[in-house]
Amino acid sequence: LNLVRMAAVFSTDTKAVDEFSRVVWLYARSVMNKLSSPAEDEEMYKEQVKEMFENSLCRETAESIVASPDRAMSCWREISKQLHSLPATDPKALIETDKSIIIVGECTSQCEKVY
């Protein structure tokens, strides 16, 4: 997603941006999991999440998202929390990125209604 690029532009903390990118990845992967049949993807999803967050500061967060009944929306909320924890050199850029997060969440909700 474009969110990681936007965060990397306004934040100089590369480790925090890396953690943010993991949560963005988890969002995309959770949406993919939701659209797949449980028999087809559930175990692979859990293994990939465990591997991605193995040495991450967000490991417990990822575990709680995997346990959540609505993983995509839990990730969406976590993306926003992670974004606001990034040290920002330009507060306007932070606001614009947050708007993009809102749009992604709204689009996901609308697609779920159609699907």
Side-chain angles (χ1 to χ4, degrees):
L1 293 171
N2 199 29
L3 298 172
V4 176
R5 182 197 60 79
M6 294 168 79
V9 167
F10 71 75
S11 181
T12 56
D13 187 339
T14 56
K15 289 183 181 183
V17 171
D18 183 52
E19 290 296 316
F20 178 71
S21 72
R22 290 174 196 263
V23 176
V24 171
W25 172 87
L26 183 55
Y27 175 79
R29 186 62 182 90
S30 294
V31 170
M32 183 178 131
N33 174 257
K34 187 171 189 167
L35 297 174
S36 302
S37 70
E40 176 185 13
D41 188 56
E42 187 65 17
E43 288 307 311
M44 186 184 323
Y45 169 79
K46 289 178 178 178
E47 288 173 24
Q48 288 176 348
V49 171
K50 184 178 179 180
E51 183 179 313
M52 175 63 83
F53 287 88
E54 191 171 43
N55 297 315
S56 171
L57 299 173
C58 301
R59 189 179 78 235
E60 289 178 10
T61 299
E63 290 170 357
S64 71
I65 289 170
V66 168
S68 172
D70 191 347
R71 294 168 174 166
M73 287 299 112
S74 293
C75 288
W76 182 62
R77 183 177 53 248
E78 187 60 31
I79 287 172
S80 189
K81 287 171 47 182
Q82 289 277 329
L83 175 73
H84 287 280
S85 72
L86 291 173
T89 56
D90 182 5
K92 283 185 181 180
L94 179 70
I95 292 168
E96 290 304 312
T97 306
D98 200 31
K99 287 180 187 177
S100 294
I101 292 169
I102 292 167
I103 291 168
V104 167
E106 288 175 355
C107 289
T108 301
S109 294
Q110 292 303 316
C111 288
E112 286 177 354
K113 289 177 185 176
V114 171
Y115 183 72

